Amino acid sequence: MQAIILAAGFGTRLRPYTQLRPKPLFPVLNIPLLEIHLATLRALGCSPIVVNAHHLADQVVQALQQWPDVHVQVEEEILGTGGSLREALPVFKNKPILVMNGDIFHNIDLRLLYHHHERRAYPVTMAVHDYPRFNCMTVRGELIQDFSSEPGSPGLAFTGIHVVDPVVLEAVPSGRFHHIINLYSQLAALHKVTAYRVDGACWQDMGTPEDYLELHRTLLETSEGRNRWLIDPSACLEPGVVLEGWGCIGKNARVGKGAVLKNAVVWDNAVLPAGQKYENAILPGRSEPGGTLAEGMR
């Protein structure tokens, strides 16, 4: 297997947090999402692995220093999904390429998806599911017909994960911005794009602060319906801190005396003043590059 993680986007719906760090580096259960994806791909024996970067690219480059076998593709100008895939093409062998958006959390079996693609004669295989909020694809049998429906309409939703044959990407103009969905729409009209159903898999988009917090609620709620807190051993909670609901507290974070946290995600190095209450909050660290403490969603 060989793979690319798309991590160049601006994450505009997650501002102001994406002004501090790119969305693929947001921690999930105190681990940057990008690292979670890379660990999954490495366990599957993927090589080569490409990660593209544009927005706050220096942070992505720094994070990948501990992954020396990963190829970092820094894009001076945003190239879009199609342009990014075309730019990475010389790195790959002449075999199918697994493509994954870097801003989704999931437990989809990527090996099964990849092998399904290899057994079919179609040049593109897209992992899809029934997710009413994002349903916008018309699918008949195993073939995708079009991508033109309004979100929420009958149909299926794209998970942000697919497998594509390299020859398809040769049709994308080199060095230019390009939406790959435009090319896939043309291929779908020719009955060349197949759907691979992954209904029932854990999948969560991190497009908004509410989505990010909802992901943590889902992951931290036990099978018995009780909530829990995940606290890094290096974090410091001063006397009188009250933890309610669910949440995470990252490395070297400090929570001041008497502070109350309910349903909150505290990033590494955050310093929370004494006596404050934070509810439904994303709490970045003061040491975030170019940023200061943000109190998050109220």
Side-chain angles (χ1 to χ4, degrees):
M1 293 177 62
Q2 53 185 0
I4 181 171
I5 299 175
L6 301 175
F10 293 102
T12 53
R13 291 180 298 155
L14 265 170
R15 290 176 178 167
Y17 310 105
T18 45
Q19 293 173 314
L20 303 177
R21 66 167 68 183
K23 188 162 48 172
L25 293 184
F26 278 36
V28 175
L29 300 183
N30 293 337
I31 302 173
L33 179 59
L34 181 58
E35 292 190 18
I36 294 173
H37 288 328
L38 289 172
T40 298
L41 295 177
R42 177 178 282 177
L44 293 173
C46 282
S47 181
I49 300 172
V50 175
V51 175
N52 78 326
H54 172 74
H55 175 60
L56 300 177
D58 57 331
Q59 292 188 40
V60 177
V61 171
Q62 182 177 0
L64 291 175
Q65 288 181 353
Q66 59 181 315
W67 302 82
D69 55 330
V70 173
H71 178 85
V72 188
Q73 177 176 292
V74 176
E75 300 167 6
E76 296 302 322
E77 296 184 5
I78 197 79
L79 294 176
T81 49
S84 297
L85 292 173
R86 181 64 178 84
E87 187 77 7
L89 195 55
V91 178
F92 292 114
K93 309 178 184 74
N94 188 28
K95 299 190 303 182
I97 303 166
L98 173 68
V99 183
M100 182 163 55
N101 289 350
D103 59 357
I104 56 172
F105 181 90
H106 69 90
N107 66 356
I108 293 169
D109 193 323
L110 300 175
R111 189 186 299 276
L112 287 181
L113 167 65
Y114 196 87
H115 289 171
H116 177 88
H117 176 86
E118 291 182 312
R119 292 192 298 268
R120 296 297 193 274
Y122 302 105
V124 181
T125 301
M126 306 184 80
V128 303
H129 57 171
D130 185 5
Y131 201 96
R133 175 181 165 191
F134 297 122
N135 285 351
C136 64
M137 304 167 65
T138 303
V139 180
R140 295 177 183 169
E142 65 173 6
L143 291 176
I144 296 173
Q145 303 295 310
D146 64 64
F147 307 88
S148 59
S149 301
E150 289 295 322
S153 61
L156 296 173
F158 179 40
T159 62
I161 303 170
H162 71 280
V163 183
V164 57
D165 290 343
V167 65
V168 171
L169 303 179
E170 294 175 359
V172 176
S174 180
R176 293 167 49 190
F177 183 92
H178 184 274
H179 280 305
I180 196 65
I181 204 69
N182 294 336
L183 176 57
Y184 291 172
S185 295
Q186 298 172 17
L187 293 175
L190 299 173
H191 310 296
K192 292 185 177 181
V193 182
T194 184
Y196 178 77
R197 296 289 294 265
V198 294
D199 299 288
C202 173
W203 184 92
Q204 177 70 55
D205 170 68
M206 289 191 352
T208 67
E210 293 85 357
D211 289 331
Y212 180 66
L213 290 171
E214 175 62 18
L215 170 61
H216 281 83
R217 184 200 66 78
T218 300
L219 296 175
L220 291 166
E221 187 174 69
T222 67
S223 58
E224 294 81 18
R226 296 191 301 270
N227 297 321
R228 64 189 179 95
W229 278 79
L230 179 65
I231 303 173
D232 189 89
S234 66
C236 176
L237 277 63
E238 296 183 0
V241 169
V242 177
L243 302 179
E244 300 177 350
W246 50 261
C248 288
I249 300 178
K251 296 178 182 177
N252 300 314
R254 178 177 292 272
V255 183
K257 183 177 180 179
V260 178
L261 278 71
K262 180 178 181 180
N263 306 341
V265 179
V266 182
W267 289 2
D268 295 351
N269 305 307
V271 179
L272 307 186
Q276 298 295 309
K277 181 173 182 177
Y278 303 94
E279 182 174 354
N280 299 323
I282 303 169
L283 300 159
R286 290 186 183 275
S287 62
E288 292 295 324
T292 58
L293 178 68
E295 293 193 357
M297 300 293 295
R298 290 291 187 176

